[in-house]
Every structure is written in structure tokens, then in C-alpha cells.
């Protein structure tokens, strides 16, 4: 039989924002993700679910950097794509952006089955910042959008079970130090894209793992999933409706109707919400999104991928603002249907030592009546799904794929990071099917390769910040036995901080200061330690000293722009300046904050995040009218965090002096994800 499935390279031209540089400062502060559930709420949960909610929550982003250098200045930019298609489906994959499937087209009808974002606009939704909406994304690591959202992955052709070709994507997930792969397989004549996924734990101890496949679809739909109940997380509220800490309540609500509204219609929700469907153990795993005519997409899988979820933005002002923020006017809104390893995204699953977990997913067009009595709608949908793609057929496809998961890749189509190659060199692991070749090592891995082979950490090139730190136990052990140079002490302190040994971390940074030619990296770390120890005055002192030292170092190397050095200094000055201004304002030292702000590069001060900081600084200086003028002139905080209400708080403080109290927050600044108090 002639195989007509093809894989080819393409270049898309999209209105795209620049990703910019990563934040060069190590992320030492705890994550702000709300991942805890009150013990009283766990009492009624299934035992495995209650255990997994409390299992190994992520407390730090290290060793992954924060990605906050992107902007909102979109212009035509080329985006590399890989297209896999047969005579029925065409899938477009973005290997430089986490392997996202940006488009899935059913060729006989010409229907786009996904929400295809016509722009590339990063926003602060991933665990480490930059994320973009649309398509099918692969979330691995910890509760939240993966740190690989806007990062490259490896890609290659591999043989498929039917004699054709598959497209393999693979990478090293750094938060949990786990390799994974995603195999895209389109059998000839199939209306379904098969996706084989494997996560491996090569370590000698269990590792917490996490996976959710997130599928963006047009929000004018009804979402069907085989469940009568769903778990609904919501933040605890204090006085005035403010969230309390990082805890959430988890309620079990009926499906489809909750609080008198059918929540399976995304446009009928007012505020953003997550509905984690409680799919019975004996039911087939599937979820579908169908338009008013009953046309849409279905996703199903083998039973290992047990969870199903609906995310809605809602019709409130915050949800509408975020939808506009992530795309462009006139493109329509979207919701997400999702599938994961656990029932909810508050859970981590233990992956045993030297083991793996794998499953098969299928995506394709689906037609079924969307309206009617819930159990009848589900029964009809399941009957039709069994007709077009039998449950046994999915299991058979998984069994056919498994022997090919170890097949070595053929032609390389894209290159990811070198972190997997570094770990394989260190441990000597054999990972059939996902080679992490030494040729993929880059400048980022060079100092750590030197530490591995020579036992010492090399000094950075003149005029460069210290670079990222590896924090796993084996790298920390190597740093502890390496010659105690100031740079080694700096990196050792970061690794010790990540391990929870804060006192020893501070001692390492203080030792490194004694002979350091550049003091600002360690001073900044000590300032963060002061903030965590609730000593804001000393933190402000150290931030001031660190910023002064950084400015001297930047001035000394200002003449050297080779290799992007000047850009590196701009990024670190902006990052440290932002933290310093916030720390100084927190203790009322407005003159010192103004001194820091004045020394920032004009282009940095013009960015939305710093315009917001300027408004706060002006208000602290008593220059209320000038602060109001910043709002009136307009600004966009490109890296505004999902759920962050900093703009609204500042606006209320700014307008609270009026006779009628705070003015309503202008729509352009309203990104609130909950009812206003």
C-alpha cells in the first residue's frame, strides 16, 4: 500500500512580538502559584487524589530562568513550522515554541478544528512567564503552564507503525529533570491524529511528574465529557474579597448545571473558571467541543490519561481583557478542553525510579447533537465516537506504537536545548529514541561541562553577568568540592538556597563577597534573603548597594558590545532596578527609589512595567496629578501576571482622594479574574 503521509518544513509569517532576553537574576522567591487545598477539603476526596494534591508541590523555578523580556510590539516575523499531513488531516507544529500544534485542519471539509491564534503574543501565564494562546500545548513539569511554552524542542522523522513516518518531539524538562517525547502519527486515510507520549524517570528515586494536554477551541460551543460531577477550585477570600495566601477551596459541583446555569456552554460563565470532570473509572476517556450545528473536535485517549477539564475565560471584563490581550480584535474568543494524568491540575503523580509512563491520544473531527438532556447527549456522543473511533481501536493503536517509541530518530528537523545532553554526559544514561547528543551543547552549558570534567567552575567572560545556576543535588555536590572562587560561592549559594539551606546559602554569598570584583550578584541574593526573613530595611540597603555596584560594572564595560554584552547589561540592569525600586518604595525611601529609576536606560523606563513603577513612585512622592497623567497617557504591562491586581490597587490608591471614593478602573487596565468587592 502506498503511504501518503508527509512531513515537511514550512515558514509561517505572523504578526509576532519579540521574546527578548530572559531575566538574568535567579528566581529565588517562592512561586505564587495557588496549589494548596485546605485539609478539611481533602477529607472528602478520593484517597489517591488527596495524596497527590499534597505530593511534592513546586516551590521554586530554579534552575529555569524567568522569561519576562518580551514586549507587545508585533510585526511580521518568520516562525519555523513542521507540517504533518495525510489525505484527511493537516497538523502544523511549532518546534521552536514548545512543539505546540498551532493548527489542525480537516481537509475534506476545510474546517479548522482548533482555535488558531493569528498572532504570536507572549503573556505571563507560564510557570516562568512567557506563554501564548491557541492550538494544542504539552504541559509537563509542575502545576501550571510548562516552562517550555516558548522554548525550542528537538524534532525528527521516525518510522511509524504503518510503514510511514511519524514526527517525534522530545526535550529535557528541567524542573523535574525528566526526558519526555511526543510522537505525532497520521495513518494513511485516518481522520484522527494519534499522539504517543512518554515520560521517563532515569533517576534512582521516584520523581513527581505532571502532564496536561491543553486544547484551545472556539468558545462558542458546548463541551461534552462523560461526567455528572466536576471539581471546581476557587480562591479563599478575606475581607473585601482579597485572596488569602495561596490556598484554594475545592468544591464538587454538578454537571452540566451549576448555580442555575449550564456551565458546559463557555459563554454562559461570567468569570474565569476550571471544571475538572470527575470521569468514572469505568468510562471511556474523552472530551469534545461542538458548535451549535454539532460540528467540532473530539479528544480521546488510553485510560492512563484519566483527567478531563474545561477552562473558560467568562464574559466578565477581566476575561474579555485577557482574550483581547492574547490575540487581536475580531478573532473571536476561545476556551480550553484539556486532558491530564490526574483528576485535577492541583496534583502531582509519583513516577517510580527508573520507570516510565506512556499513553496514546487521538484528535479528530466529531459530529454529534450538542443539545438535549445531559445523559442522553452523552450516550449519543459516545455511540458516535465508538463508531468513528472504537475504544479498542485506540488501545490497538497504542499497542502498535509502543515498539516504535525506542526507534532512533532519522532526519533531524529542529534542535532543542543542550541541557539533556549535559545530564546524559553526567550520568551516562541510555535513552533509546530520544538522543541528547553532545553536539547540542551550547554556550549555556559550557561552564557546567567544565565543572563536570575539570572539577572547577570557570570565570565568566569579561563584562558578563554570572549566568544561570544548576541546583540539583549532584551539581550542588560538585560546587561544594570545587575551588572556592567568588563565582563558585555565588552559584553554590543559589543551589543551597534552592535546597532549603538558607543559612548556608547566605554564608556562601557572604564569603564570595570578600574577594569578588563584582559584588552585585551576591548582594542581590542577600537582599532577597532579607526580604524572605522580613527585614525590608536591610534588604533596601543591599539593593541600593547592589544597584550602585552594577552601574559601576556596566559603565566599566560599556565600550564592549561584542557578543551581545551591552544587551546583557541592559537586561540585568532593568531586572535589578525593578526589584530595587519596589524594595525601596516598600520602606518609604522615595529619594533612593528615584535615584535608581533615573539611572535606568530610557528604553527601559518607557516599558509598561516601568511606567507602572513610575506612577507608583510619583504617588509616593506626593505628585498625584503626575501619577494620574501616566495612567491617562496609557501603558501596557507586557508581563502582567495572570490574577495580578497590582494595576487596580495602584489605581484605587491614586483615585481614593476623590469625594466619591476610588474611581472605576478603566477598561483598558481591568484584568481582574474575580468579582470586584
Amino acid at each position: 500500500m502506498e503511504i501518503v503521509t508527509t512531513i515537511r518544513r514550512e515558514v509561517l509569517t505572523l504578526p509576532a512580538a519579540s521574546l527578548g532576553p530572559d531575566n538574568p537574576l535567579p528566581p529565588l522567591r517562592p512561586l505564587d502559584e495557588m496549589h494548596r487545598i485546605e485539609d478539611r477539603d481533602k477529607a472528602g476526596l478520593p484517597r489517591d487524589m488527596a495524596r497527590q494534591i499534597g505530593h511534592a508541590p513546586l516551590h521554586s523555578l530554579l534552575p529555569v530562568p524567568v522569561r519576562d523580556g518580551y514586549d507587545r510590539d508585533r510585526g511580521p516575523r518568520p516562525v519555523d513550522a513542521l507540517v504533518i499531513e495525510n489525505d484527511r488531516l493537516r497538523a502544523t507544529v511549532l518546534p521552536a515554541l514548545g512543539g505546540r500544534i498551532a493548527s489542525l485542519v480537516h481537509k475534506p471539509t476545510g474546517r479548522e478544528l482548533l482555535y488558531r491564534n493569528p498572532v504570536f503574543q507572549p503573556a505571563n501565564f507560564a510557570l516562568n512567564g512567557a506563554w501564548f494562546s491557541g492550538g494544542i500545548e504539552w504541559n509537563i513539569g509542575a502545576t501550571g503552564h510548562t516552562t517550555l511554552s516558548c522554548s525550542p524542542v528537538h524534532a525528527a522523522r521516525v518510522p511509524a507503525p504503518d510503514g510511514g513516518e511519524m514526527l517525534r518531539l522530545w526535550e529535557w524538562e528541567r524542573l523535574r529533570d525528566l526526558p519526555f517525547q511526543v510522537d505525532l502519527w497520521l495513518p494513511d486515510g485516518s481522520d484522527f491524529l494519534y499522539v504517543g507520549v512518554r515520560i521517563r524517570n532515569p533517576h534512582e528515586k521516584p520523581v513527581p511528574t505532571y502532564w496536561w494536554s491543553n486544547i484551545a477551541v472556539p468558545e462558542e460551543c458546548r463541551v461534552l465529557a462523560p461526567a455528572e460531577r466536576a471539581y471546581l477550585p476557587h480562591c479563599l477570600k478575606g475581607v473585601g474579597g482579597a485572596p488569602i495566601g495561596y490556598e484554594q477551596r475545592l468544591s464538587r459541583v454538578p454537571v452540566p448545571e451549576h448555580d442555575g446555569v449550564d456551565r458546559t456552554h463557555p459563554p454562559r460563565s461570567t468569570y474565569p473558571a476550571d471544571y475538572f470532570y470527575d470521569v468514572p473509572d469505568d468510562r471511556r476517556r474523552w472530551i469534545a467541543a461542538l458548535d451549535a450545528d454539532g460540528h467540532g473536535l473530539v479528544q480521546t485517549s488510553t485510560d492512563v490519561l484519566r483527567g478531563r477539564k474545561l477552562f473558560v475565560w467568562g464574559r466578565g471584563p477581566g476575561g474579555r481583557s485577557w482574550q483581547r490581550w492574547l490575540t487581536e480584535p475580531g478573532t473571536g474568543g476561545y476556551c480550553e478542553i484539556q486532558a491530564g494524568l490526574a483528576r485535577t491540575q492541583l496534583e502531582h503523580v509519583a513516577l517510580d525510579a527508573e520507570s516510565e509512563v506512556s499513553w496514546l491520544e487521538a484528535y479528530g473531527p466529531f459530529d454529534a447533537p450538542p443539545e438535549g438532556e445531559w445523559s442522553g447527549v452523552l450516550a449519543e456522543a459516545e455511540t458516535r465516537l465508538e463508531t468513528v473511533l472504537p475504544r479498542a481501536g485506540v488501545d490497538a493503536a497504542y499497542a502498535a506504537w509502543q515498539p516504535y517509541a525506542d526507534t532512533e530518530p532519522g532526519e533531524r528537523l529542529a534542535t532543542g536545548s543542550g541541557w539533556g545532553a549535559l545530564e546524559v554526559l553526567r550520568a551516562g544514561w541510555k535513552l533509546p529514541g530520544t538522543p541528547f547528543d553532545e553536539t547540542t551543547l551550547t554556550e549555556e552549558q559550557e561552564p557546567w561541562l567544565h565543572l563536570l570534567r575539570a572539577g572547577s567552575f570557570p570565570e565568566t567572560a569579561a563584562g558578563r553577568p554570572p549566568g544561570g545556576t544548576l541546583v540539583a543535588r549532584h551539581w550542588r555536590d560538585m560546587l561544594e568540592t570545587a575551588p572556592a572562587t567568588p563565582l563558585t560561592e555565588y552559584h553554590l549559594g543559589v543551589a543551597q538556597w534552592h535546597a532549603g539551606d538558607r543559612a548556608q546559602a547566605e554564608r556562601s554569598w557572604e564569603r564570595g563577597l570578600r574577594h569578588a570584583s563584582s559584588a552585585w550578584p551576591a548582594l542581590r541574593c542577600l537582599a532577597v534573603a532579607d526580604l524572605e526573613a522580613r527585614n525590608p530595611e536591610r534588604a533596601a540597603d543591599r539593593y541600593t548597594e547592589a544597584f550602585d555596584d552594577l552601574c559601576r560594572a556596566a559603565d566599566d564595560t560599556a565600550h564592549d558590545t561584542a557578543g551581545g554584552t551591552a544587551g546583557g547589561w541592559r537586561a540585568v540592569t532593568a531586572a535589578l532596578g525593578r526589584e530595587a525600586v519596589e524594595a525601596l518604595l516598600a520602606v518609604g525611601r522615595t529619594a533612593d527609589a528615584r535615584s535608581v529609576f533615573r539611572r535606568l536606560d530610557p528604553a527601559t523606563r518607557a516599558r509598561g512595567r516601568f511606567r507602572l513603577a513610575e506612577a507608583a513612585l510619583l504617588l509616593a512622592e506626593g505628585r498625584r496629578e503626575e501619577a494620574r497623567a501616566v495612567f491617562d497617557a496609557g501603558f501596557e504591562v507586557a508581563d502582567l501576571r495572570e490574577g495580578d491586581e497590582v494595576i487596580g490597587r495602584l489605581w484605587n490608591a491614586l483615585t481614593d482622594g476623590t469625594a466619591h471614593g476610588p474611581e472605576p478602573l478603566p477598561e483598558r487596565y481591568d484584568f481582574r479574574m474575580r468579582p470586584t468587592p
Side-chain angles (χ1 to χ4, degrees):
M1 179 179 67
E2 181 183 0
I3 302 297
V4 296
T5 300
T6 61
I7 300 172
R8 68 179 185 275
R9 290 187 175 95
E10 279 193 2
V11 176
L12 309 178
T13 299
L14 298 177
S18 170
L19 271 173
D22 290 346
N23 190 316
L25 303 179
L28 301 178
R29 304 296 297 274
L31 286 173
D32 61 356
E33 297 298 313
M34 291 181 288
H35 51 251
R36 295 203 299 268
I37 297 295
E38 283 194 308
D39 288 341
R40 66 179 181 182
D41 286 336
K42 293 180 185 179
L45 298 177
R47 290 184 179 180
D48 62 333
M49 184 177 172
R51 182 173 60 252
Q52 289 171 175
I53 285 177
H55 177 58
L58 190 70
H59 296 292
S60 170
L61 274 179
L62 289 166
V64 178
V66 172
R67 309 203 73 173
D68 61 2
Y70 50 88
D71 56 35
R72 293 189 55 78
D73 298 325
R74 295 197 290 261
R77 289 186 171 91
V79 178
D80 290 335
L82 299 171
V83 178
I84 177 171
E85 68 177 312
N86 62 6
D87 57 334
R88 309 290 294 176
L89 286 176
R90 179 172 63 250
T92 302
V93 181
L94 308 180
L97 297 171
R100 179 86 56 106
I101 298 180
S103 169
L104 184 62
V105 174
H106 185 231
K107 294 165 69 173
T109 61
R111 293 205 323 255
E112 172 61 69
L113 301 180
L114 307 174
Y115 169 77
R116 179 173 186 168
N117 196 335
V119 307
F120 171 67
Q121 178 56 66
N124 194 353
F125 283 76
L127 285 166
N128 63 332
W131 173 88
F132 66 106
S133 65
I136 305 172
E137 59 174 312
W138 319 113
N139 287 294
I140 182 174
T143 53
H145 290 284
T146 178
T147 61
L148 295 167
S149 293
C150 293
S151 296
V153 298
H154 303 282
R157 302 176 192 269
V158 292
D162 61 354
E165 290 183 320
M166 293 188 296
L167 175 60
R168 175 164 299 163
L169 311 171
W170 73 99
E171 208 11 299
W172 194 273
E173 200 289 309
R174 300 181 67 199
L175 292 178
R176 304 299 195 183
D177 267 339
L178 298 176
F180 71 98
Q181 71 189 76
V182 176
D183 286 355
L184 307 180
W185 172 28
L186 263 179
D188 185 28
S190 174
D191 273 328
F192 285 86
L193 172 68
Y194 293 134
V195 180
V197 182
R198 176 168 64 169
I199 305 172
R200 286 190 275 200
N201 176 14
H203 303 280
E204 296 178 349
K205 61 180 181 179
V207 175
T209 192
Y210 172 93
W211 182 278
W212 281 81
S213 302
N214 289 12
I215 308 130
V217 293
E219 69 177 348
E220 293 291 343
C221 68
R222 191 183 197 195
V223 173
L224 309 182
E228 304 290 337
R229 297 279 174 177
Y231 294 98
L232 175 65
H234 52 96
C235 297
L236 295 175
K237 300 294 191 296
V239 177
I244 298 176
Y246 301 122
E247 292 189 345
Q248 298 189 74
R249 295 295 303 273
L250 191 64
S251 302
R252 197 164 178 256
V253 300
V255 176
E257 190 172 301
H258 170 52
D259 283 346
V261 177
D262 187 334
R263 304 293 177 173
T264 62
H265 292 269
R268 296 182 185 176
S269 291
T270 304
Y271 295 99
D274 300 305
Y275 295 94
F276 296 101
Y277 295 115
D278 188 10
V279 180
D281 289 341
D282 61 345
R283 295 289 288 270
R284 182 175 182 177
R285 271 49 170 175
W286 64 276
I287 189 167
L290 303 176
D291 64 20
D293 296 324
H295 306 309
L297 171 89
V298 66
Q299 187 270 3
T300 186
S301 70
T302 48
D303 289 352
V304 167
L305 201 67
R306 68 178 304 173
R308 293 299 185 274
K309 173 194 165 184
L310 165 63
F311 166 75
V312 298
W313 280 109
R315 291 292 186 178
R320 295 299 94 188
S321 293
W322 277 118
Q323 295 244 38
R324 289 192 298 269
W325 189 258
L326 292 166
T327 183
E328 62 183 14
T331 59
Y334 76 96
C335 62
E336 287 185 353
I337 56 176
Q338 306 177 12
L341 279 176
R343 290 182 180 89
T344 73
Q345 289 169 341
L346 304 171
E347 303 169 63
H348 295 105
V349 178
L351 187 56
D352 290 338
E354 299 177 336
S355 71
E356 63 182 50
V357 61
S358 64
W359 62 91
L360 188 98
E361 306 179 43
Y363 297 82
F366 191 55
D367 297 309
E371 301 301 333
E373 187 269 331
W374 183 244
S375 61
V377 168
L378 292 184
E380 177 64 20
E382 289 188 312
T383 297
R384 294 193 179 202
L385 180 57
E386 187 65 19
T387 299
V388 297
L389 186 62
R391 186 176 189 178
V394 176
D395 292 337
Y398 173 63
W401 167 73
Q402 280 189 296
Y404 290 81
D406 281 351
T407 302
E408 289 304 307
E411 179 191 1
R412 304 301 173 90
L413 301 172
T415 302
S417 78
W419 295 114
L422 182 66
E423 293 298 334
V424 167
L425 279 173
R426 179 195 62 80
W429 286 316
K430 304 298 181 184
L431 300 170
T434 55
F436 293 95
D437 301 330
E438 194 169 344
T439 57
T440 62
L441 294 168
T442 67
E443 184 181 8
E444 285 187 292
Q445 291 84 42
E446 282 182 5
W448 300 95
L449 185 62
H450 189 277
L451 176 64
L452 177 65
R453 289 175 169 169
S456 62
F457 200 90
E459 290 298 314
T460 58
R464 288 185 180 273
T469 304
L470 295 182
V471 295
R473 177 60 185 266
H474 43 266
W475 294 107
R476 189 170 79 248
D477 289 345
M478 285 185 243
L479 288 168
E480 287 176 346
T481 57
T485 66
L487 185 58
T488 303
E489 295 283 13
Y490 162 80
H491 285 296
L492 175 58
V494 174
Q496 290 166 332
W497 180 271
H498 175 266
D501 192 349
R502 295 188 172 185
Q504 189 59 56
E506 291 182 51
R507 285 192 287 270
S508 294
W509 291 325
E510 288 167 350
R511 283 196 305 270
L513 280 174
R514 295 172 190 164
H515 304 290
S517 59
S518 188
W520 67 265
L523 284 170
R524 181 264 175 180
C525 291
L526 289 166
V528 173
D530 288 333
L531 290 177
E532 290 298 297
R534 299 185 179 182
N535 193 339
E537 286 287 354
R538 190 167 66 180
D541 289 339
R542 281 175 161 159
Y543 266 121
T544 300
E545 188 179 354
F547 192 76
D548 289 345
D549 183 73
L550 173 62
C551 289
R552 284 192 296 270
D555 288 342
D556 289 344
T557 57
H559 65 280
D560 180 13
T561 59
T565 302
W569 283 119
R570 281 194 294 272
V572 75
T573 303
L576 184 57
R578 172 179 165 181
E579 291 186 8
V581 168
E582 291 175 355
L584 290 162
L585 286 180
V587 294
R589 290 167 56 173
T590 56
D592 290 335
R594 174 61 65 183
S595 174
V596 170
F597 191 81
R598 189 179 295 117
R599 283 179 284 171
L600 294 173
D601 181 84
T604 297
R605 295 199 301 267
R607 288 163 52 186
R609 171 63 66 177
F610 291 87
R611 293 285 286 158
L612 179 65
E614 183 179 20
L617 178 54
L618 288 166
L619 182 61
E621 292 171 331
R623 299 156 67 180
R624 187 178 297 268
E625 291 184 2
E626 292 174 75
R628 174 62 183 261
V630 173
F631 275 87
D632 292 342
F635 58 85
E636 293 184 318
V637 181
D639 64 328
L640 185 68
R641 185 70 173 166
E642 177 188 13
D644 191 346
E645 299 184 4
V646 60
I647 297 177
R649 289 195 298 271
L650 181 57
W651 174 261
N652 288 342
L654 181 61
T655 62
D656 197 23
T658 64
H660 303 289
E663 298 177 23
L665 183 64
E667 183 181 4
R668 67 180 299 178
Y669 299 121
D670 192 350
F671 293 89
R672 290 172 292 192
M673 304 279 280
R674 60 184 177 86
T676 54

